[in-house]
Amino acid sequence: MTKQKKVGKILNKFIPQGATIGIIGGGQLGQMMALDAKQTGMKVVILDPTPQCPAAQVADEQIIAPYSDIKAIEELANKADVLTYEFENVDLKAIEDVANRVYVPQGTHLLYITKNRLREKNFLRKAKLKTAPFLPVHDTAGLQTAIKKIGYPAVLKTSEGGYDGHGQEVLYHDTDLTKCADILTSGDCILEGWVPFELECSVMVGRNENGEITVFPVSENIHHNEILHLSIVPARIPPRLQEEAQQMAVKIAEAIDLRGILGVEMFVTANGEIYINELAPRPHNSGHYSIEACNFSQFAIHNRAVCNWPLPKIELLEPVVMVNVLGQHVQKVRAEIKNKPNWHFHDYGKAEVRHNRKMGHVTILTNNIAATLEEIDNTGIWND
Ligand code: AMP
């Protein structure tokens, strides 16, 4: 597949209340999409292999089947008026195949670009947005050549399928090259130069088929063990950089002809330069704060955008901290409920609690970010 094929014969369609949204994927992102959709008066059908997955608990119906099951995707298409997804590893061919019978506003071009780091970086370069220097790498010899050009430190990443730091190796010197065998054998790779960032941030941007765009405030993201731990909004960077970050997200939305919501992850350096790290063609963990802290959540904007409803200007109602609840935090967070009248406790309803599995999150509206961070710290819950 090369350039965007305009997927879907049905274009510019207004999806009314009472219509059915079909969502491929039934995790927490699908659940929060479905919660918003239900509140707006939509029907929701979920495709997910796990019975009673998080989204199915709030949807009208679940089709229990693997995401790649063509028959199941056809069934979903037949039941839905509009089809969307909550994660990027969707079978593009299957979506193209059903696009003549259901409205697929997001098409497949965005997924095609974002499911492959190399294509994504090439797209960003073409759109004249700053990224880490990068080169494609296919084998050990190619890695050595790329290292000569890019230098240390550098990060080797699989082009496809990596997440939360999986499928990546940071390289500081030649002796680290031996650690790359597994990554190199798992498929095409990309070598990126290391960006000496001061902080990581992200911006959610939404756009509908009419070309209306709305952009969320900048979230500052702190990771623990490569997993998002905490988001602070607004990010603690000067207003000029916040504006620049938002403008970059808008530029990407336009360049990629976005429909729906997109997360743009960025690095900010000490001298005020912003690099784009990666794109998420869906709601993003760092945008969960918007449920309580904004006039419209990232999920509401996604639903409005794919249903081609007009898009509002996003306002941050109050500064906010969002902290993730992983498997190891669940019990302690539950015990904390009785002490925290102002914390918003989210739990995704996952049956199995596992170490490092995202089980829920907590959102805290605050006029004193530093004090709230200290309050979170003082609970001791997130020490591991
Ligand atoms: P990613 O999966 O690409 O988001 O990478 C996971 C994490 O690794 C990022 O959130 C960064 O903390 C770090 N990282 C990835 N690529 C780079 C890079 N080129 N320079 C500096 N840090 C990076």
Side-chain angles (χ1 to χ4, degrees):
M1 191 161 67
T2 50
K3 188 77 186 124
Q4 159 83 324
K5 282 191 245 168
K6 197 136 196 160
V7 168
K9 307 255 182 299
I10 318 149
L11 292 173
N12 216 5
K13 198 175 172 197
F14 175 78
I15 304 292
Q17 284 181 308
T20 301
I21 302 183
I23 306 176
I24 303 175
Q28 64 267 23
L29 301 180
Q31 183 188 60
M32 289 181 271
M33 259 186 218
L35 280 167
D36 173 81
K38 288 310 301 168
Q39 184 182 315
T40 332
M42 298 293 186
K43 294 194 180 62
V44 179
V45 183
I46 301 291
L47 168 65
D48 194 280
T50 308
Q52 280 299 98
C53 61
Q57 294 170 31
V58 298
D60 295 275
E61 192 183 336
Q62 178 182 9
I63 299 169
I64 301 171
Y67 310 119
S68 56
D69 183 330
I70 306 293
K71 284 247 162 327
I73 292 178
E74 281 174 4
E75 189 188 341
L76 183 67
N78 288 339
K79 289 187 167 172
D81 297 292
V82 55
L83 190 66
T84 186
Y85 49 80
E86 61 130 33
F87 62 91
E88 45 268 68
N89 292 319
V90 178
D91 186 332
L92 300 188
K93 172 83 173 52
I95 293 194
E96 281 169 3
D97 286 349
V98 294
N100 57 355
R101 63 175 94 166
V102 63
Y103 179 47
V104 190
Q106 290 160 283
T108 52
H109 181 56
L110 174 66
L111 279 172
Y112 175 72
I113 297 290
T114 55
K115 78 194 305 199
N116 181 292
R117 289 183 192 275
L118 199 54
R119 282 201 287 266
E120 186 173 281
K121 285 269 177 350
N122 278 320
F123 159 79
L124 292 166
R125 181 182 273 171
K126 210 167 146 214
K128 301 206 170 1
L129 287 151
K130 205 182 296 169
T131 68
F134 65 93
L135 282 169
V137 167
H138 308 292
D139 49 30
T140 310
L143 176 59
Q144 281 161 347
T145 313
I147 278 288
K148 282 201 187 96
K149 291 191 180 145
I150 286 178
Y152 292 113
V155 201
L156 182 71
K157 302 179 181 180
T158 50
S159 276
E160 292 196 12
Y163 67 97
D164 287 345
H166 293 261
Q168 320 201 347
E169 194 65 54
V170 183
L171 309 173
Y172 298 96
H173 18 97
D174 287 350
T175 47
D176 293 332
L177 297 182
T178 51
K179 297 184 201 157
C180 297
D182 283 354
I183 295 182
L184 287 171
T185 49
S186 67
D188 286 345
C189 296
I190 176 172
L191 185 76
E192 293 179 15
W194 184 259
V195 178
F197 62 82
E198 185 88 344
L199 58 84
E200 296 189 68
C201 65
S202 57
V203 177
M204 304 306 301
V205 58
R207 184 173 178 273
N208 64 14
E209 200 157 289
N210 288 336
E212 293 174 340
I213 293 190
T214 194
V215 63
F216 283 79
V218 185
S219 165
E220 173 183 338
N221 301 324
I222 296 170
H223 298 85
H224 281 174
N225 304 320
E226 333 263 10
I227 301 169
L228 182 68
H229 163 51
L230 195 139
S231 289
I232 300 165
V233 187
R236 294 169 296 179
I237 54 176
R240 179 186 66 77
L241 285 182
Q242 300 199 22
E243 239 168 73
E244 193 182 325
Q246 287 178 310
Q247 280 165 8
M248 287 167 111
V250 168
K251 194 170 170 188
I252 292 168
E254 279 166 349
I256 211 153
D257 196 14
L258 176 71
R259 289 90 196 269
I261 197 109
L262 174 78
V264 183
E265 294 180 19
M266 306 169 182
F267 299 131
V268 183
T269 62
N271 58 359
E273 286 185 301
I274 302 178
Y275 291 74
I276 308 291
N277 175 30
E278 50 172 11
L279 308 179
R282 50 167 172 77
H284 191 265
N285 192 169
S286 67
H288 293 356
Y289 74 88
S290 59
I291 295 174
E292 287 91 4
C294 293
N295 54 342
F296 288 83
S297 76
Q298 61 168 344
F299 304 99
I301 293 303
H302 178 73
N303 289 338
R304 292 181 77 99
V306 296
C307 291
N308 216 16
W309 291 17
L311 299 183
K313 182 177 177 342
I314 294 299
E315 311 281 356
L316 182 69
L317 306 173
E318 215 172 323
V320 59
V321 177
M322 187 278 326
V323 55
N324 265 339
V325 178
L326 306 181
Q328 58 271 36
H329 309 135
V330 170
Q331 287 310 328
K332 288 182 193 156
V333 167
R334 286 181 185 160
E336 197 65 21
I337 292 176
K338 56 184 182 306
N339 303 323
K340 303 292 184 194
N342 296 320
W343 288 20
H344 296 267
F345 293 90
H346 293 250
D347 187 294
Y348 309 139
K350 293 183 184 177
E352 197 191 337
V353 181
R354 286 198 307 264
H355 189 82
N356 279 353
R357 186 177 201 201
K358 289 176 183 171
M359 304 300 295
H361 67 268
V362 173
T363 305
I364 309 162
L365 303 177
T366 172
N367 281 318
N368 188 338
I369 295 279
T372 299
L373 292 177
E374 204 179 315
E375 184 187 351
I376 291 169
D377 219 34
N378 285 343
T379 65
I381 296 173
W382 285 274
N383 289 346
D384 45 36

